Amino acid sequence: MKDFQTFLKEAAHVKPSARQLAWYELGFYAFIHFSVNTYTGRQCGLGDEDPAIFNPTELDCDEWVETIKAAGMKGVVITAKHHDGFCLWPSKYTEHSVKNSPWKDGKGDVLRELSDACRRAGIKFGVYLSPWDRNSKYYGTPEYNDYYANQLTELLTEYGELFMVWQDNACGEGANGKKQEYDFPRFNALIRKYQPNAVIFNDFGPDVRWCGNEAGTAREGEWAVVPGELCKRAERQTKGALIPSDPFVTQNPDRDPGALSNIIHSDGLCFAGSEVDTSIRPHWFYVPEDEPRTPENIFDLYLRTVGGNTSLNLNIPPMPSGKFDPRDVAALKEFGKLLRERLGPDSEVPCTVKKIRDEGFGRALYEIKTEAPAEIAYVEIAENIAEGQRIESFQIRRTPEGTWALCAGLTVGARKICRVSAKTDTLYLRINARDEIDLKHVKIYQKSTVAKVEKEGLF
Ligand code: FUL
C-alpha cells in the first residue's frame, strides 16, 4: 500500500487537458432552452407536439448574442434537441424538426443562425443534444444509438467549432416500457474525432461534471481532482487507493467528491471540473409569470461559481416570439455593468505577492502589498491548475499570526474570488496545500470608483 505523502503528491499532480484548461478560462456562458415547450408551457415535452407550433417570428440571434456578451458571458450552449425530440436544425434523420414548422417556411435553422451570430461576435458556440428522445420511433432499441450518433455527427460537422457538447443521463420514465442504454463511448469518440477541442459535459464527466443541483449552488470546496469511480469515462491518472476502495464513498455524488476523506478510497483519480447549471428564472423553458434573478443575485451567483472553481452555465429562456424577455435583458445588462465595475480593470489595484514563510508540507505564508492603502472589496486567488489543483484551505488575514481572518475558505483551483472588507496596504495569505503551492496570480479589487462617485453624489 502507498504511504500518505506519495498519495498526496500523486493527487496534486493530476492534470487537466488543454480543452479543460480552455473551458476553465471561459468560466461563464449562457444556456438556451428553446423548443416546442416554449409554446406549450411544458418543461418536459411529450414528443407528440406538432412542429407547426414552433414559430419564433421575431428571432434575432445577433440580439441574443449582444445580451449574452453584455453580461460578460463568453459562449452559449443551446438545446439543439430536448427530451421532446424536436430538432432546432433541419436534421436529415427525422421529420420532427424546424423543417416542418411555419417559421421561415420550413427553411429556418436556429443552430445556423446562432452559430453564425456567435462567430460574428467572437464568442463560443456549443450544443445540448438530449439522449432521451420521446419522439423517435427508435428509442428503446439498439437503432436509437445510430440515430443519436447520426444527429450528433450533423452537429459536429456542420456548424463550425464547438466548445462544448452537453449531454445528460435522463433516461425517462420508460414510456411503453422503453428504456435506452446510451452508447456514450461511441458518442464521445465521435466528439473527439470531429471536435477535439470541445469539452464533453455529462453528469459524471469525462471532461466536465455536474455540480449536482440546478439551484446554482457550488460546494464550498470544489475539486476538479475526483475519483475515477465517479467519472467513469474520464481518464484515470493515478493508480491504487490509500485505504482500500469503499464504493459508498467514491461513488456517492452527494458528497464532496474531491475531499481528501473521499479520494483516499479511490482506486484512481481523474481531472473533471464542475459546472453549475441554473436558470435566470425558476424554470428552464419560458414561463411568462416567472421573474428573473436580480442583478445582485446574479453577481452573488457569479462569485460563488465562477469565483468558486466551477463554471456557470446560466440559462436564458427565449419567449415564443424568439426574443429574450426584456426583464431578463435588463437584469443581465445591469449585472454586466456590476461585474465590470467591481471586478474589472478599473477597480484592480496592482499588488506584489511574496512568500515570506515556507512551513513545508505545502504550507506557506504570503505577503500581499499594494502601493498605498486601498479600500479592498475583493481578492481573487488562482492556482496554476495546468500543473494540478492543490490548495486544501486558505485564509486572507490582516496579520500573519493569531486566530482572526478576514476570509477563510477551502479550495482555490482555477479561480477563487473572496469578498473582503479592509482598508490596508498589506494582506497576508496562509495556504495549506497537498504539495508545493503553485500560485498563478493574486488580484486585489478596491471598492468600485463608480459606486464611490454615486455615494459622494448622494451625501
Ligand atoms: C436536465 C433536463 O432534464 C432539464 O430539462 C434541463 O434540460 C437540464 C439542464 O438538464 O437533465
Side-chain angles (χ1 to χ4, degrees):
M1 215 148 64
K2 295 180 192 206
D3 65 85
F4 189 49
Q5 283 305 320
T6 311
F7 178 84
L8 272 186
K9 209 168 192 62
E10 284 176 1
H13 287 80
V14 173
K15 292 179 187 158
S17 61
R19 64 176 88 86
Q20 286 174 315
L21 270 181
W23 163 82
Y24 259 129
E25 280 299 310
L26 284 189
F28 184 28
Y29 38 90
F31 220 172
I32 293 189
H33 276 67
F34 195 29
S35 184
V36 285
N37 294 343
T38 311
Y39 299 85
T40 59
R42 287 194 190 101
Q43 292 301 311
C44 187
L46 303 175
D48 61 0
E49 291 84 0
D50 186 345
I53 61 176
F54 186 83
N55 195 13
T57 47
E58 294 174 59
L59 178 69
D60 177 349
C61 288
D62 287 311
E63 209 174 82
W64 283 3
V65 167
E66 191 226 306
T67 300
I68 288 167
K69 268 188 96 168
M73 301 182 189
K74 312 274 178 50
V76 51
V77 178
I78 186 163
T79 52
K81 175 182 92 168
H82 201 254
H83 308 329
D84 50 66
F86 180 78
C87 299
L88 293 184
W89 83 104
S91 171
K92 278 207 293 276
Y93 301 98
T94 180
E95 290 304 304
H96 200 52
S97 85
V98 281
K99 71 184 172 201
N100 288 313
S101 298
W103 178 57
K104 301 203 164 173
D105 294 327
K107 304 271 177 321
D109 181 346
V110 181
L111 302 194
R112 175 77 53 225
E113 295 196 14
L114 182 56
S115 57
D116 286 349
C118 286
R119 248 178 303 282
R120 277 194 289 275
I123 66 168
K124 305 277 183 191
F125 177 65
V127 291
Y128 168 120
L129 187 66
S130 169
W132 184 25
D133 188 321
R134 303 181 83 178
N135 176 266
S136 172
K137 61 174 187 244
Y138 304 116
Y139 194 81
T141 71
E143 285 78 62
Y144 179 74
N145 284 324
D146 298 333
Y147 177 74
Y148 187 91
N150 284 335
Q151 292 198 323
L152 182 61
T153 305
E154 289 182 322
L155 302 185
L156 296 170
T157 56
E158 291 175 23
Y159 297 95
E161 192 172 61
L162 304 178
F163 84 100
M164 176 174 248
V165 177
W166 210 101
Q167 303 160 333
D168 63 14
N169 282 297
C171 203
E173 79 299 2
N176 310 327
K178 289 180 186 171
K179 197 111 187 152
Q180 181 71 41
E181 288 297 324
Y182 305 124
D183 192 351
F184 284 119
R186 174 178 173 193
F187 308 152
N188 292 353
L190 280 175
I191 300 169
R192 294 290 193 244
K193 174 174 170 196
Y194 292 116
Q195 296 281 345
N197 298 327
V199 283
I200 303 173
F201 172 96
N202 207 312
D203 292 6
F204 306 126
D207 299 321
V208 179
R209 65 182 172 85
W210 188 40
C211 68
N213 68 82
E214 294 179 344
T217 315
R219 294 177 178 83
E220 195 194 342
E222 280 287 357
W223 285 96
V225 180
V226 290
E229 290 87 343
L230 195 65
C231 291
K232 293 180 196 70
R233 284 177 287 275
E235 184 204 340
R236 292 187 183 193
Q237 298 184 37
T238 67
K239 231 174 151 185
L242 180 69
I243 298 174
S245 181
D246 176 345
F248 174 76
V249 174
T250 50
Q251 294 175 35
N252 182 349
D254 298 338
R255 296 172 64 98
D256 187 350
L260 201 51
S261 56
N262 212 43
I263 62 168
I264 50 173
H265 298 289
S266 169
D267 270 333
L269 300 172
C270 62
F271 194 101
S274 133
E275 177 196 272
V276 172
D277 63 325
T278 190
S279 187
I280 192 168
R281 292 157 162 261
H283 296 97
W284 290 109
F285 287 93
Y286 187 72
V287 174
E289 296 75 35
D290 284 352
E291 285 293 331
R293 292 172 183 269
T294 62
E296 285 293 351
N297 178 290
I298 304 172
F299 184 75
D300 193 55
L301 179 65
Y302 181 93
L303 282 195
R304 286 185 281 111
T305 55
V306 182
N309 195 38
T310 71
S311 63
L312 175 57
N313 189 358
L314 181 63
N315 181 60
I316 319 164
M319 303 188 291
S321 67
K323 286 191 169 304
F324 287 157
D325 187 304
R327 290 170 294 174
D328 300 12
V329 173
L332 287 164
K333 290 194 168 166
E334 182 57 27
F335 160 75
K337 230 172 96 205
L338 291 182
L339 185 65
R340 285 188 296 279
E341 280 168 19
R342 295 176 183 171
L343 296 169
D346 290 347
S347 294
E348 193 178 339
V349 188
C351 64
T352 56
V353 182
K354 202 167 86 193
K355 192 192 276 186
I356 55 170
R357 203 155 68 207
D358 196 331
E359 295 166 346
F361 302 107
R363 285 195 295 266
L365 180 70
Y366 294 81
E367 183 189 68
I368 304 162
K369 265 198 169 305
T370 56
E371 217 161 75
E375 271 196 64
I376 300 171
Y378 304 96
V379 176
E380 178 180 312
I381 317 168
E383 287 186 71
N384 179 20
I385 52 156
E387 298 304 320
Q389 186 185 348
R390 300 176 185 173
I391 297 179
E392 282 268 353
S393 63
F394 70 92
Q395 288 186 338
I396 299 170
R397 315 172 51 88
R398 264 183 191 282
T399 54
E401 315 302 337
T403 50
W404 194 77
L406 287 165
C407 170
L410 298 177
T411 48
V412 169
R415 211 181 288 104
K416 179 79 189 182
I417 308 175
C418 310
R419 279 185 211 265
V420 170
S421 182
K423 186 166 184 176
T424 180
D425 59 2
T426 312
L427 289 174
Y428 296 91
L429 176 62
R430 284 197 84 95
I431 293 181
N432 178 16
R434 290 179 179 173
D435 193 16
E436 203 182 319
I437 302 159
D438 192 353
L439 282 181
K440 188 170 167 209
H441 66 243
V442 175
K443 290 182 181 174
I444 302 262
Y445 296 95
Q446 63 184 338
K447 269 202 185 128
S448 99
T449 43
V450 178
K452 246 194 232 157
V453 171
E454 277 166 11
K455 221 170 157 192
E456 277 161 14
L458 281 174
F459 299 103

CSV table of all heavy atoms in Angstrom, one decimal, residues 31 33 43-44 79 82-83 128 132 166 168-170 203 214 277 284-285, ligand 1:
chain,number,residue,atom,x,y,z
A,31,PHE,N,-26.9,29.3,-21.3
A,31,PHE,CA,-27.6,28.1,-21.7
A,31,PHE,C,-28.9,28.6,-22.4
A,31,PHE,O,-29.5,29.6,-21.9
A,31,PHE,CB,-28.0,27.3,-20.4
A,31,PHE,CG,-27.9,25.9,-20.5
A,31,PHE,CD1,-28.1,25.1,-19.3
A,31,PHE,CD2,-27.7,25.2,-21.7
A,31,PHE,CE1,-28.0,23.7,-19.4
A,31,PHE,CE2,-27.6,23.8,-21.7
A,31,PHE,CZ,-27.8,23.1,-20.5
A,33,HIS,N,-32.6,27.3,-23.4
A,33,HIS,CA,-33.7,26.2,-23.5
A,33,HIS,C,-34.8,26.8,-24.4
A,33,HIS,O,-35.5,27.7,-24.1
A,33,HIS,CB,-34.2,25.8,-22.2
A,33,HIS,CG,-33.3,24.8,-21.5
A,33,HIS,ND1,-32.1,25.1,-21.1
A,33,HIS,CD2,-33.5,23.5,-21.2
A,33,HIS,CE1,-31.5,24.0,-20.5
A,33,HIS,NE2,-32.4,23.0,-20.6
A,43,GLN,N,-42.4,21.8,-19.3
A,43,GLN,CA,-40.9,21.8,-19.0
A,43,GLN,C,-40.3,20.6,-19.6
A,43,GLN,O,-39.1,20.5,-19.8
A,43,GLN,CB,-40.6,22.0,-17.5
A,43,GLN,CG,-41.0,23.3,-16.9
A,43,GLN,CD,-40.3,24.5,-17.6
A,43,GLN,OE1,-39.1,24.4,-17.8
A,43,GLN,NE2,-41.0,25.5,-18.0
A,44,CYS,N,-41.1,19.6,-19.8
A,44,CYS,CA,-40.6,18.3,-20.4
A,44,CYS,C,-41.7,17.9,-21.5
A,44,CYS,O,-42.8,17.5,-21.1
A,44,CYS,CB,-40.5,17.3,-19.4
A,44,CYS,SG,-39.7,15.8,-20.0
A,79,THR,N,-30.1,24.1,-26.6
A,79,THR,CA,-30.8,22.8,-26.7
A,79,THR,C,-31.1,22.5,-28.2
A,79,THR,O,-32.2,22.8,-28.6
A,79,THR,CB,-32.1,22.8,-25.9
A,79,THR,OG1,-32.9,23.9,-26.3
A,79,THR,CG2,-31.9,22.9,-24.4
A,82,HIS,N,-34.2,18.8,-27.2
A,82,HIS,CA,-34.5,18.5,-25.7
A,82,HIS,C,-35.2,17.1,-25.7
A,82,HIS,O,-35.3,16.4,-26.7
A,82,HIS,CB,-35.3,19.6,-25.1
A,82,HIS,CG,-35.3,19.6,-23.6
A,82,HIS,ND1,-36.3,19.2,-22.8
A,82,HIS,CD2,-34.3,20.0,-22.8
A,82,HIS,CE1,-35.9,19.3,-21.5
A,82,HIS,NE2,-34.7,19.8,-21.5
A,83,HIS,N,-35.7,16.7,-24.5
A,83,HIS,CA,-36.3,15.4,-24.4
A,83,HIS,C,-37.5,15.1,-25.3
A,83,HIS,O,-37.8,14.0,-25.6
A,83,HIS,CB,-36.7,15.2,-23.0
A,83,HIS,CG,-35.7,15.4,-21.9
A,83,HIS,ND1,-34.4,15.3,-22.2
A,83,HIS,CD2,-35.8,15.9,-20.6
A,83,HIS,CE1,-33.7,15.6,-21.1
A,83,HIS,NE2,-34.5,16.0,-20.1
A,128,TYR,N,-26.4,21.3,-26.8
A,128,TYR,CA,-27.0,20.3,-25.9
A,128,TYR,C,-27.8,19.3,-26.8
A,128,TYR,O,-28.7,19.8,-27.6
A,128,TYR,CB,-28.0,21.0,-24.9
A,128,TYR,CG,-29.0,20.3,-24.1
A,128,TYR,CD1,-28.9,20.4,-22.7
A,128,TYR,CD2,-30.0,19.5,-24.6
A,128,TYR,CE1,-29.8,19.7,-21.9
A,128,TYR,CE2,-30.9,18.9,-23.8
A,128,TYR,CZ,-30.8,19.0,-22.4
A,128,TYR,OH,-31.8,18.3,-21.6
A,132,TRP,N,-32.2,11.3,-24.2
A,132,TRP,CA,-33.6,10.9,-24.1
A,132,TRP,C,-34.4,11.6,-25.1
A,132,TRP,O,-34.4,12.8,-25.3
A,132,TRP,CB,-34.1,11.3,-22.7
A,132,TRP,CG,-35.4,10.8,-22.3
A,132,TRP,CD1,-36.1,9.7,-22.9
A,132,TRP,CD2,-36.4,11.4,-21.4
A,132,TRP,NE1,-37.3,9.6,-22.4
A,132,TRP,CE2,-37.5,10.6,-21.4
A,132,TRP,CE3,-36.3,12.5,-20.5
A,132,TRP,CZ2,-38.6,10.9,-20.6
A,132,TRP,CZ3,-37.4,12.8,-19.7
A,132,TRP,CH2,-38.5,12.0,-19.8
A,166,TRP,N,-23.1,19.1,-24.6
A,166,TRP,CA,-23.7,18.9,-23.3
A,166,TRP,C,-24.7,17.7,-23.4
A,166,TRP,O,-25.6,17.8,-24.2
A,166,TRP,CB,-24.4,20.2,-22.9
A,166,TRP,CG,-24.6,20.5,-21.5
A,166,TRP,CD1,-23.8,21.4,-20.8
A,166,TRP,CD2,-25.6,20.0,-20.5
A,166,TRP,NE1,-24.3,21.5,-19.5
A,166,TRP,CE2,-25.3,20.6,-19.3
A,166,TRP,CE3,-26.6,19.1,-20.6
A,166,TRP,CZ2,-26.1,20.4,-18.2
A,166,TRP,CZ3,-27.4,18.8,-19.5
A,166,TRP,CH2,-27.1,19.5,-18.3
A,168,ASP,N,-27.1,14.8,-20.9
A,168,ASP,CA,-27.4,14.4,-19.6
A,168,ASP,C,-27.8,12.9,-19.6
A,168,ASP,O,-27.8,12.3,-20.7
A,168,ASP,CB,-28.5,15.2,-19.0
A,168,ASP,CG,-29.8,15.1,-19.7
A,168,ASP,OD1,-29.9,14.2,-20.5
A,168,ASP,OD2,-30.7,15.9,-19.5
A,169,ASN,N,-28.1,12.3,-18.5
A,169,ASN,CA,-28.4,10.9,-18.4
A,169,ASN,C,-29.9,10.6,-18.2
A,169,ASN,O,-30.2,9.5,-17.9
A,169,ASN,CB,-27.6,10.3,-17.2
A,169,ASN,CG,-26.2,10.1,-17.5
A,169,ASN,OD1,-25.8,9.3,-18.4
A,169,ASN,ND2,-25.3,10.8,-16.9
A,170,ALA,N,-30.7,11.7,-18.5
A,170,ALA,CA,-32.1,11.5,-18.3
A,170,ALA,C,-32.6,10.3,-19.1
A,170,ALA,O,-32.4,10.4,-20.3
A,170,ALA,CB,-32.9,12.8,-18.6
A,203,ASP,N,-23.2,14.1,-16.6
A,203,ASP,CA,-23.3,14.1,-15.1
A,203,ASP,C,-22.0,13.8,-14.4
A,203,ASP,O,-21.6,14.5,-13.5
A,203,ASP,CB,-24.4,13.1,-14.6
A,203,ASP,CG,-25.8,13.6,-15.1
A,203,ASP,OD1,-25.8,14.5,-15.8
A,203,ASP,OD2,-26.7,12.9,-14.7
A,214,GLU,N,-29.6,22.1,-9.5
A,214,GLU,CA,-29.9,23.1,-10.5
A,214,GLU,C,-30.3,24.4,-9.9
A,214,GLU,O,-30.9,25.2,-10.5
A,214,GLU,CB,-31.0,22.5,-11.4
A,214,GLU,CG,-30.6,21.3,-12.2
A,214,GLU,CD,-31.7,20.7,-13.1
A,214,GLU,OE1,-32.9,21.1,-12.9
A,214,GLU,OE2,-31.4,20.0,-14.0
A,277,ASP,N,-25.1,24.6,-13.5
A,277,ASP,CA,-26.1,25.0,-14.5
A,277,ASP,C,-27.4,25.4,-13.8
A,277,ASP,O,-27.9,24.6,-12.9
A,277,ASP,CB,-26.4,23.9,-15.5
A,277,ASP,CG,-27.0,22.6,-14.9
A,277,ASP,OD1,-26.6,22.3,-13.8
A,277,ASP,OD2,-27.8,22.0,-15.5
A,284,TRP,N,-36.6,26.1,-16.7
A,284,TRP,CA,-35.6,26.0,-17.8
A,284,TRP,C,-36.2,26.6,-19.1
A,284,TRP,O,-35.6,27.4,-19.8
A,284,TRP,CB,-35.2,24.6,-18.2
A,284,TRP,CG,-34.3,24.0,-17.1
A,284,TRP,CD1,-34.6,23.0,-16.2
A,284,TRP,CD2,-32.9,24.4,-16.8
A,284,TRP,NE1,-33.5,22.8,-15.4
A,284,TRP,CE2,-32.5,23.6,-15.7
A,284,TRP,CE3,-32.0,25.3,-17.3
A,284,TRP,CZ2,-31.2,23.6,-15.2
A,284,TRP,CZ3,-30.8,25.4,-16.8
A,284,TRP,CH2,-30.4,24.6,-15.7
A,285,PHE,N,-37.5,26.3,-19.4
A,285,PHE,CA,-38.2,26.9,-20.5
A,285,PHE,C,-39.1,28.0,-20.1
A,285,PHE,O,-39.4,28.2,-18.9
A,285,PHE,CB,-39.1,25.8,-21.2
A,285,PHE,CG,-38.2,24.8,-22.0
A,285,PHE,CD1,-37.9,23.6,-21.4
A,285,PHE,CD2,-37.8,25.0,-23.3
A,285,PHE,CE1,-37.1,22.7,-22.0
A,285,PHE,CE2,-37.1,24.1,-24.0
A,285,PHE,CZ,-36.7,22.9,-23.3
B,1,FUL,C1,-31.8,18.1,-17.2
B,1,FUL,C2,-33.1,18.2,-18.1
B,1,FUL,O1,-33.9,17.1,-17.7
B,1,FUL,C3,-33.7,19.5,-17.9
B,1,FUL,O2,-34.9,19.6,-18.6
B,1,FUL,C4,-32.7,20.6,-18.3
B,1,FUL,O3,-32.5,20.5,-19.7
B,1,FUL,C5,-31.4,20.4,-17.5
B,1,FUL,C6,-30.4,21.4,-18.0
B,1,FUL,O4,-30.9,19.1,-17.7
B,1,FUL,O5,-31.2,16.9,-17.2
